[in-house]
Amino acid sequence: MKHIFEQRVFYADTDCYGVVWHGAYLRWLERGRVELCEMLGHDLSTLMEQDILLPVTNLNVKYKMSAKLNDEVIIETEISKFNGLTVTFKQSIKSKTTGKTYIEAECDAVAIAQSTGKLYRRMPEVLAKTFEGETKCLQPA
């Protein structure tokens, strides 16, 4: 499953040169991950009530081209890997008008207990079932 949303570049997203500030991309990537989890039935507030947090442990971003003020961008997010402990999100931000890629990113997240801050030895079952199902869909038949 892939989550896709559109975002207009606002003035607050840009630096003094009118190009998107690198941190704005990170906010859009986070929104993509959160909304993908929600599409898969995992609201972050509900997970917190179950003592589960999903912090980012690794973020690799390749900046290919700069988006500019008033550009329309498309953010795509999907799960690319799951090993029982870490889930990897593959993400991209592209121009709506040209289709050119602004950035490509991979983001790893793990599950920790909110109450203690300790890492779960395995992803909690409620998430593991979903993440395993998503990665099976990516494997060739």
Side-chain angles (χ1 to χ4, degrees):
M1 179 180 297
K2 188 181 283 191
H3 178 270
I4 301 170
F5 74 96
E6 295 180 11
Q7 175 71 44
R8 180 174 161 215
V9 176
F10 292 101
Y11 186 76
D13 300 318
T14 63
D15 61 17
C16 62
Y17 301 105
V19 300
V20 173
W21 173 66
H22 69 279
Y25 294 112
L26 301 182
R27 282 196 320 270
W28 300 334
L29 294 175
E30 179 182 17
R31 177 179 166 194
R33 293 189 305 272
V34 168
E35 290 183 0
L36 175 62
C37 287
E38 289 172 350
M39 280 177 55
L40 295 171
H42 300 294
D43 176 82
L44 296 187
S45 296
T46 303
L47 289 175
M48 288 174 66
E49 291 169 4
Q50 297 171 4
D51 198 34
I52 301 169
L53 297 177
L54 290 173
V56 169
T57 57
N58 183 49
L59 179 62
N60 183 5
V61 180
K62 293 179 183 174
Y63 295 92
K64 297 181 166 275
M65 192 170 97
S66 296
K68 296 182 176 69
L69 181 64
N70 292 321
D71 283 352
E72 295 283 336
V73 299
I74 298 172
I75 297 90
E76 297 182 358
T77 304
E78 63 186 328
I79 293 172
S80 61
K81 290 185 261 181
F82 177 64
N83 66 11
L85 177 65
T86 303
V87 61
T88 301
F89 296 90
K90 179 181 172 186
Q91 299 184 273
S92 66
I93 300 178
K94 299 177 181 180
S95 167
K96 181 178 177 180
T97 55
T98 67
K100 291 184 179 180
T101 301
Y102 295 119
I103 70 162
E104 293 175 343
E106 277 200 338
C107 177
D108 298 329
V110 297
I112 64 170
Q114 179 182 3
S115 58
T116 64
K118 292 186 179 178
L119 179 70
Y120 283 102
R121 292 178 187 250
R122 305 277 306 154
M123 187 70 64
E125 188 175 343
V126 66
L127 293 170
K129 286 181 182 179
T130 301
F131 297 155
E132 284 171 0
E134 285 301 302
T135 55
K136 284 181 184 174
C137 294
L138 299 172
Q139 297 172 359

